[in-house]
Amino acid sequence: MPIYELGYRHWEGELCNPLHRMWAITRTGIALGFRSKMLLRLLIFAWMPLLYFAPLFFAIGYATDPERAAAGDNVWTQFVQGFLGSEIANRLLQDPESVRRAAWAIAFHYFFSYTQAWLTMLVVAIIGPPLIAQDVRRKAFLLYFSRPITRWEYLGGKASVMLFFVFVVTLFPAIVLYAISIAFSPSLSALFQTGTTIFQIVAVAAVIAIPATLVVLSLSSLTEDSRYATFGWISLWLVGEVSYRILSNIPQLADHRWIFLLSVRKTTSVLIEAIFDVVRQIRALGRSDAVNRVLEQVQTPYPPWLGLVFLTALSLVCLCVVFRRISKPMRI
Amino acid sequence: MIFRLERVTKLYDGIKALDDITIEVRPGAIGLLGPNGAGKSTLIKCLLGLVQITAGRVSVLDLDARRDSRRIRQQVGYMPEDDCTIAGLGGVQAVAYMGQLSGLPARTALRRAHEMLDYVGIADERYREVQTYSTGMKQKMKFAQALIHAPKVLFLDEPTTGLDPQGRDRMLRLIRNLPEKKGLSVIISTHILQDVEACCDSVIILGRGRLLVYDTLRRLRRSVNETYTVRYTGDRAAFMKALVDSGCAAQPAGEDEITVVREGDATPSAVFKSALISGAVVRQISPSRTSLEDIFLKALRG
């Protein structure tokens, strides 16, 4: 026996559980994703809306505090007037706690439906397309599936990469925003009043992330060249958005309930509105011009259930496509 | 037993890729031979549980391929023929990643990756991205990733493709080392018969999805060694007639050569007696050396 041999040595040790294998795919995918400088810049940019929303929540926290309102501390009320208008601000003085819930619902609705929705689209366009397309191109399936992992674990690992990056621009900043709001609220009543918000944030992040992940992974699995998948994803978004805006402005079609399904952003937005129960929260403020203006912006004639059914069906179809595609190389 | 197939059939769109194969393969170094489309890659994929068989039963290391494919893949290593890489990873990262996918803890996988790359002879290039590797280096890297999780059986699909002669020799030496000194069983699927001759002690020959031959090389060669090649001077017709009369099957080979197949007592002494009778002079008599190519071609001809 040699005392030293730079050769093949057998190994016998304890193996990790199957979740570790899926985690290895996710971790490697995330590490590769962070190599993109464009993505890093975008992620930093994606947190910028916090600079706008955090002071707003902070101000709402102070303005809606009953003790401060009773003491006539109206500095923050004036600040909130800038965001919500004078009528709502006046209402704030009369019944501060009822306004808080509505204000939070509106603010989170805007945060998810507008700023983060577009940033999500860009993040997905950078991260998603190469995830499976590069494995198809480089025939990596044979390396993966000759290992003790299943197709579901592979798909789970890849989907987790995408979900992570979508959550970085949706869930994580929203949670930080919520934590800031609670931390800077002058009393604990804010926590009790808005206890369900954290669950609503998670639900909204899931509504944005899951369909986006499955759609982009299915596009990625359909091609060897990730540029086509990127093009497909952006086209789906932009063409859908433009089509929706054009069709919704045609009077004959404006009443058709399915029009919003053309736009991924609008469909998601309708669901976000339903999850935060924005319309009911605003109506609870009573009738005024300011309330009506906000209501006009938020309220849509589109049924959320239709959006949910559509996104669920789209996700399932994409799941079938991607699963079939990753099984295909094995059939040769 | 490395693997056992019982009446295994695999159909692709009605075409039989594997046709009613029954075989039980013993440990060692086994060459898997066959022309293109013979079913070699399908056989390996069936053994790994990557494709579902149409009929029959497959077991590897006494595990059922249909039920326990994950446990099988835990215990076997596979080096694919194709140019497979994980985009964006360096050599050592890629091999360690494969180790983690096999269940090795991250730190152990990294240590083993370095060991395996040392073994296959990839030095500082291991820190470069795999896409920048030459064909030979990619082959070595695929070999390293197949070994990282310490498999009991290694499936190598065309392991020497794209290697220069020096690289090929080195690769064959590494492969040969595994069954001889480390107790691993190695199954080499290849078109290069010399690779099988250099590394293997048994051979499986497939043709049109059917099993044509499975035996040790030694036995296959011995069965053909009963043929002698005789060089002579003299009258060919008379010499051949004398050989046939003495119970030998004789066939003209070259200009002054006759191939004599031993039947019954057709020993070299029978050849000398026939030469004496016919007036021919035997210049040389030697057992015909049959190469694997002869065995292969004979098997394919049926």
Side-chain angles (χ1 to χ4, degrees):
Chain A
M1 283 283 286
I3 55 170
Y4 177 71
E5 185 190 7
L6 195 67
Y8 177 78
R9 276 177 285 187
H10 198 68
W11 176 81
E12 275 183 24
E14 200 170 326
L15 295 169
C16 301
N17 66 38
L19 276 178
H20 166 90
R21 294 158 202 195
M22 204 165 87
W23 169 235
I25 297 174
T26 305
R27 197 176 47 195
T28 305
I30 291 172
L32 288 173
F34 273 122
R35 285 190 196 169
S36 164
K37 285 182 181 168
M38 195 201 291
L39 179 78
L40 281 176
R41 289 188 194 117
L42 188 63
L43 291 182
I44 292 167
F45 185 70
W47 282 66
M48 293 294 173
L50 254 66
L51 296 176
Y52 172 82
F53 282 98
L56 174 65
F57 276 93
F58 178 74
I60 291 170
Y62 267 77
T64 55
D65 182 47
E67 287 175 22
R68 286 177 187 277
D73 183 3
N74 63 354
V75 176
W76 295 107
T77 310
Q78 287 167 9
F79 186 76
V80 173
Q81 273 181 346
F83 290 108
L84 302 177
S86 58
E87 285 180 58
I88 292 182
N90 290 336
R91 167 86 186 175
L92 201 67
L93 291 170
Q94 292 162 17
D95 184 9
E97 297 210 356
S98 69
V99 178
R100 179 186 290 156
R101 294 178 73 174
W104 281 44
I106 295 165
F108 272 116
H109 175 252
Y110 274 97
F111 178 73
F112 279 115
S113 296
Y114 295 97
T115 58
Q116 302 314 102
W118 287 98
L119 289 164
T120 300
M121 187 271 280
L122 293 174
V123 166
V124 171
I126 294 172
I127 289 293
L131 279 176
I132 297 180
Q134 283 194 337
D135 287 344
V136 177
R137 187 190 182 100
R138 308 217 176 261
K139 297 174 185 169
F141 286 153
L142 281 174
L143 293 177
Y144 278 107
F145 298 126
S146 61
R147 304 275 151 192
I149 62 164
T150 62
R151 287 167 184 79
W152 287 113
E153 284 163 1
Y154 169 81
L155 193 55
K158 293 287 179 182
S160 301
V161 176
M162 196 62 262
L163 289 173
F164 171 78
F165 283 106
V166 175
F167 286 156
V168 167
V169 293
T170 54
L171 180 65
F172 301 156
I175 288 174
V176 169
L177 201 56
Y178 179 74
I180 289 171
S181 313
I182 293 295
F184 286 98
S185 289
S187 67
L188 273 177
S189 62
L191 182 63
F192 297 126
Q193 267 197 328
T194 59
T196 54
T197 305
I198 195 81
F199 301 108
Q200 290 168 324
I201 288 171
V202 172
V204 164
V207 162
I208 295 172
I210 292 171
T213 297
L214 290 171
V215 169
V216 81
L217 286 183
S218 68
L219 289 172
S220 176
S221 70
L222 288 170
T223 175
E224 287 185 9
D225 192 336
S226 59
R227 285 174 302 180
Y228 295 129
T230 309
F231 180 75
W233 168 251
I234 293 175
S235 302
L236 191 75
W237 252 78
L238 294 182
V239 173
E241 186 69 19
V242 171
S243 308
Y244 161 70
R245 287 184 185 228
I246 293 170
L247 294 179
S248 61
N249 282 317
I250 298 172
Q252 291 90 333
L253 291 173
D255 291 337
H256 283 71
R257 290 182 149 197
W258 54 267
I259 287 178
F260 77 112
L261 300 177
L262 292 170
S263 162
V264 178
R265 190 200 59 78
K266 187 62 190 173
T267 309
T268 314
S269 175
V270 168
L271 284 175
I272 294 170
E273 178 201 307
I275 290 169
F276 282 117
D277 202 10
V278 180
V279 173
R280 200 174 63 82
Q281 301 276 6
I282 295 170
R283 282 196 179 132
L285 294 176
R287 287 281 169 190
S288 69
D289 289 344
V291 169
N292 288 341
R293 272 201 303 276
V294 177
L295 209 52
E296 269 175 28
Q297 283 180 23
V298 174
Q299 197 173 21
T300 58
Y302 309 123
W305 67 265
L306 188 58
L308 185 65
V309 168
F310 175 74
L311 286 183
T312 307
L314 181 69
S315 301
L316 288 175
V317 168
C318 289
L319 185 65
C320 291
V321 169
V322 70
F323 192 73
R324 193 170 166 73
R325 290 292 299 177
I326 60 175
S327 303
K328 196 182 172 191
M330 298 301 123
R331 297 201 197 104
I332 303 163
Chain B
M1 190 274 295
I2 308 174
F3 66 84
R4 182 190 295 129
L5 305 182
E6 291 169 46
R7 309 211 62 182
V8 168
T9 298
K10 172 67 191 171
L11 296 175
Y12 284 121
D13 299 327
I15 298 163
K16 282 184 178 173
L18 296 176
D19 186 4
D20 198 26
I21 293 182
T22 298
I23 187 173
E24 187 173 313
V25 176
R26 295 171 293 277
I30 299 110
L32 182 58
L33 295 173
N36 290 333
K40 304 188 295 292
S41 295
T42 304
L43 176 61
I44 291 178
K45 284 178 183 170
C46 287
L47 294 169
L48 289 167
L50 294 175
V51 292
Q52 295 293 317
I53 54 171
T54 311
R57 191 160 176 268
V58 176
S59 53
V60 180
L61 298 168
D62 290 322
L63 296 166
D64 186 271
R66 206 183 290 248
R67 225 179 27 243
D68 302 311
S69 70
R70 187 196 279 262
R71 284 175 67 197
I72 289 170
R73 281 180 272 152
Q74 187 68 64
Q75 296 181 52
V76 305
Y78 175 50
M79 175 182 176
E81 177 191 5
D82 299 294
D83 187 10
C84 310
T85 53
I86 306 290
L89 295 182
V92 70
Q93 287 173 311
V95 177
Y97 182 44
M98 288 298 122
Q100 287 179 59
L101 292 182
S102 291
L104 270 64
R107 190 172 290 195
T108 308
L110 185 62
R111 184 175 55 75
R112 287 276 302 170
H114 281 290
E115 283 178 17
M116 292 308 107
L117 290 169
D118 285 338
Y119 180 61
V120 300
I122 293 183
D124 289 345
E125 306 88 7
R126 70 184 64 179
Y127 300 107
R128 263 173 35 204
E129 274 199 21
V130 179
Q131 285 110 299
T132 66
Y133 282 13
S134 64
T135 310
M137 280 166 66
K138 281 181 185 164
Q139 288 292 95
K140 288 178 185 177
M141 212 216 64
K142 284 192 289 179
F143 188 49
Q145 64 81 28
L147 283 170
I148 186 165
H149 57 297
K152 290 177 182 166
V153 180
L154 203 56
F155 291 103
L156 306 175
D157 205 347
E158 306 284 357
T160 55
T161 302
L163 296 178
D164 57 35
Q166 204 181 357
R168 182 170 162 265
D169 277 351
R170 187 181 158 81
M171 178 65 85
L172 292 175
R173 212 166 46 240
L174 292 173
I175 294 170
R176 204 163 40 227
N177 181 49
L178 293 171
E180 279 177 7
K181 298 190 176 157
K182 307 295 176 185
L184 264 78
S185 290
V186 180
I187 292 151
I188 306 168
S189 168
T190 182
H191 290 99
I192 305 168
L193 302 178
Q194 292 93 321
D195 288 358
V196 174
E197 283 186 307
C199 295
C200 300
D201 40 43
S202 304
V203 64
I204 297 169
I205 300 176
L206 297 178
R208 291 184 183 176
R210 296 188 75 90
L211 175 68
L212 302 177
V213 169
Y214 169 53
D215 213 333
T216 61
L217 275 173
R218 184 185 287 181
R219 200 155 22 177
L220 284 168
R221 283 195 173 128
R222 195 171 55 211
S223 68
V224 190
N225 275 350
E226 294 172 10
T227 304
Y228 291 85
T229 303
V230 180
R231 285 182 64 198
Y232 68 98
T233 50
D235 182 6
R236 171 174 285 199
F239 187 31
M240 285 185 64
K241 184 176 182 302
L243 282 166
V244 171
D245 289 346
S246 66
C248 298
Q251 277 190 334
E255 199 178 323
D256 298 326
E257 276 183 9
I258 292 175
T259 304
V260 180
V261 180
R262 192 171 74 180
E263 286 176 2
D265 63 347
T267 55
S269 63
V271 174
F272 285 116
K273 278 181 192 166
S274 303
L276 193 64
I277 293 163
S278 62
V281 177
V282 175
R283 299 177 67 86
Q284 189 185 58
I285 180 166
S286 56
S288 295
R289 192 183 173 282
T290 308
S291 67
L292 185 57
E293 194 175 343
D294 297 323
I295 299 166
F296 181 66
L297 292 173
K298 190 181 166 195
L300 289 184
R301 279 191 217 112

